[in-house]
Amino acid sequence: MPPGITTLAADAPTLSAANTGFMLICSALVMLMTPALAFFYGGMVRVKSTLNMLMMSFISLGIITILWVLYGFSLTFGTDAGSVIGWSQDFLGLSGIGVNELWDGTTIPVYVFAVFQLMFAVLTPALISGALADRVKFTSWALFITLWVTVVYFPVAHWVWGSGGWLAELGVIDFAGGTAVHINAGAAALGVIVVIGKRVGFKKDPMRPHSLPLVMLGAALLWFGWFGFNAGSWLGNDDGVGAVMFVNTQVATAAAMLAWLGYEKLRHGSFTTLGAASGAVAGLVAITPAGGAVSPLGAIAVGAVAGVVCAMAVGLKYKLGYDDSLDVVGVHLVGGVIGSLLVGFFATGGVQSDAKGLFYGGGLDQLGKQAVGVFAVLAYSLVVSAVLALLVDKTLGMRVDEDDEISGIDQVEHAETAYDFSGAGGGAAPRTTASAPGTPAAPTNKKVDA
């Protein structure tokens, strides 16, 4: 995302109705990604956990929205303090912002920038939930994400995108969230998994997705919403960079889906719908940091690498013994790392900035910067998330009881089930057929008076 730019009064931008309208549409598209993620995750779990999976995403829309208004926007995009956090009294409660006040260096109002960034803040903790399916108390999850966005997401987003943030000042390229969103969420998921342990029956029970159509619907809506997520992150359409990002988003996603399916066919002998959906998401994740720095050919390379490597990475949980329920680590953490590091190879120097990667004569300089960003965010999020999960576990307890997990978390935590089959086929009159001559009459339940 472009940092704030200091301009002379005579050169100060004026509000653009076109850019403002575009950014409001992009904000709505990013909002759609959270319920899309809920459908994607909800279809991947077993029937007994469907509603809980949906709710773990939907509750983020409520909690994070309020926190963002109260203090999150201030901590993330307020005046820099020590290159690690922001703070601005005017941003508290969004109460000191003028209706026509523009975000620095842009032609859109501060309110529009704030709501666009809010949708990123909402989505990121929801991504973590897929790793924790079937076993986390809903109240504990709500407390965890409250603490997590405050201590992890808001500071990390400031490092990457805030004016004065140390990774932004270093020159790390993250167009729309490879580090701040995907590596951040994936590392957090791994940290929480270490604390809460495995599901009952992990590596023994099949735990297959209960609704692949729901998974495909969620993936399709994520793909659609991601155009707002990525193309909108340039905050306007005045120079064509957002258009390049839009094209690269489509190209990389297509390449990753095909690469995942190709790997699946060679490795397992089948093209699966789950593989197609997962491959598409892997491509979307990987192009998120890189799409404003690479050409469409570079986007194909980024997507293809992500498709194969993420497909390989999802199997690590069985080898290493960590229970990443819905492959948040394998897709979001690994995909975010791939996309962020490949900027150091494929950046052309002709799109969002003049920074060039290794394959375009830039040497190892940009790759080194990308590596610093990747591993700083990964380490911070992993450690702090594990500490927060441990804190919640020692107070409220993170996990439901084993018996409740086996019987179904939906009924225990929400007093509901996703599908009601109680009336299926009920009330139908018994069907009778004529008997062949000499055949005894069929038995009947009808009462006959003496």
Side-chain angles (χ1 to χ4, degrees):
M1 296 189 181
I5 303 170
T6 302
T7 59
L8 299 175
D11 301 323
T14 57
L15 188 148
S16 165
N19 285 340
T20 298
F22 170 73
M23 289 306 302
L24 288 172
I25 292 170
C26 287
S27 300
L29 287 171
V30 182
M31 180 272 164
L32 177 67
M33 292 173 67
T34 298
L37 181 74
F39 290 137
F40 181 68
Y41 282 167
M44 291 175 69
V45 295
R46 291 168 289 179
V47 169
K48 64 182 181 179
S49 303
T50 306
L51 295 180
N52 181 251
M53 205 71 261
L54 296 173
M55 283 292 288
M56 288 177 81
S57 288
F58 266 80
I59 195 63
S60 186
L61 282 163
I63 292 173
I64 310 308
T65 297
I66 302 304
L67 297 181
W68 185 255
V69 171
L70 293 178
Y71 60 83
F73 185 56
S74 180
L75 290 177
T76 308
F77 291 104
T79 303
D80 178 70
S83 297
V84 295
I85 199 67
W87 184 256
S88 175
Q89 191 73 23
D90 289 341
F91 291 167
L92 292 177
L94 303 184
S95 57
I97 302 170
V99 174
N100 295 315
E101 183 179 346
L102 301 183
W103 185 245
D104 287 348
T106 75
T107 58
I108 63 173
V110 175
Y111 275 115
V112 174
F113 177 75
V115 78
F116 180 68
Q117 287 294 335
L118 161 62
M119 301 310 174
F120 282 66
V122 166
L123 176 67
T124 306
L127 293 172
I128 302 170
S129 66
L132 316 178
D134 298 329
R135 60 201 190 275
V136 174
K137 293 179 181 177
F138 190 67
T139 50
S140 299
W141 169 248
L143 176 60
F144 174 79
I145 63 172
T146 299
L147 298 173
W148 188 83
V149 294
T150 303
V151 180
V152 180
Y153 180 79
F154 297 155
V156 168
H158 181 78
W159 299 355
V160 177
W161 294 322
S163 180
W166 73 275
L167 291 180
E169 292 295 306
L170 179 64
V172 174
I173 293 175
D174 186 353
F175 195 95
T179 54
V181 175
H182 297 289
I183 293 174
N184 203 2
L190 185 58
V192 179
I193 290 167
V194 171
V195 172
I196 68 171
K198 307 174 183 64
R199 288 169 291 177
V200 176
F202 177 63
K203 293 202 287 189
K204 296 178 182 177
D205 299 337
M207 300 184 181
R208 289 186 290 268
H210 90 278
S211 176
L212 287 169
L214 200 61
V215 173
M216 295 295 280
L217 173 63
L221 290 173
L222 281 170
W223 194 333
F224 177 67
W226 224 290
F227 289 115
F229 189 87
N230 279 358
S233 290
W234 198 242
L235 307 181
N237 283 315
D238 296 327
D239 55 8
V241 175
V244 173
M245 185 54 163
F246 192 106
V247 171
N248 284 344
T249 299
Q250 176 68 16
V251 170
T253 306
M257 181 180 66
L258 296 175
W260 187 301
L261 288 173
Y263 172 83
E264 212 174 38
K265 178 65 174 177
L266 292 173
R267 183 73 175 81
H268 304 292
S270 302
F271 301 114
T272 69
T273 51
L274 183 59
S278 300
V281 173
L284 291 164
V285 169
I287 201 60
T288 292
V294 304
S295 69
L297 288 177
I300 292 175
V302 170
V305 172
V308 173
V309 176
C310 290
M312 296 170 64
V314 297
L316 290 177
K317 63 184 179 183
Y318 299 111
K319 295 180 181 179
L320 301 180
Y322 62 90
D323 185 7
D324 175 16
S325 306
L326 307 182
D327 302 317
V328 177
V329 175
V331 173
H332 293 277
L333 176 57
V334 174
V337 169
I338 290 169
S340 298
L341 292 180
L342 288 182
V343 171
F345 292 93
F346 292 105
T348 65
V351 190
Q352 73 177 93
S353 72
D354 59 4
K356 294 183 178 181
L358 179 64
F359 296 160
Y360 288 82
L364 296 174
D365 182 58
Q366 191 61 42
L367 179 60
K369 293 175 181 179
Q370 297 302 117
V372 170
V374 164
F375 294 108
V377 173
L378 195 161
Y380 179 76
S381 183
L382 175 67
V383 173
V384 177
S385 300
V387 171
L388 292 176
L390 186 62
L391 176 64
V392 175
D393 190 47
K394 295 300 183 182
T395 52
L396 297 183
M398 282 289 284
R399 291 190 64 148
V400 297
D401 294 336
E402 183 174 321
D403 289 344
D404 291 337
E405 181 181 335
I406 293 170
S407 63
I409 197 169
D410 283 358
Q411 193 67 257
V412 172
E413 291 292 304
H414 308 290
E416 298 170 306
T417 56
Y419 306 101
D420 182 3
F421 301 111
S422 61
R431 183 176 180 180
T432 60
T433 58
S435 300
T439 304
T444 179
N445 293 324
K446 189 173 181 180
K447 183 178 178 180
V448 179
D449 293 330

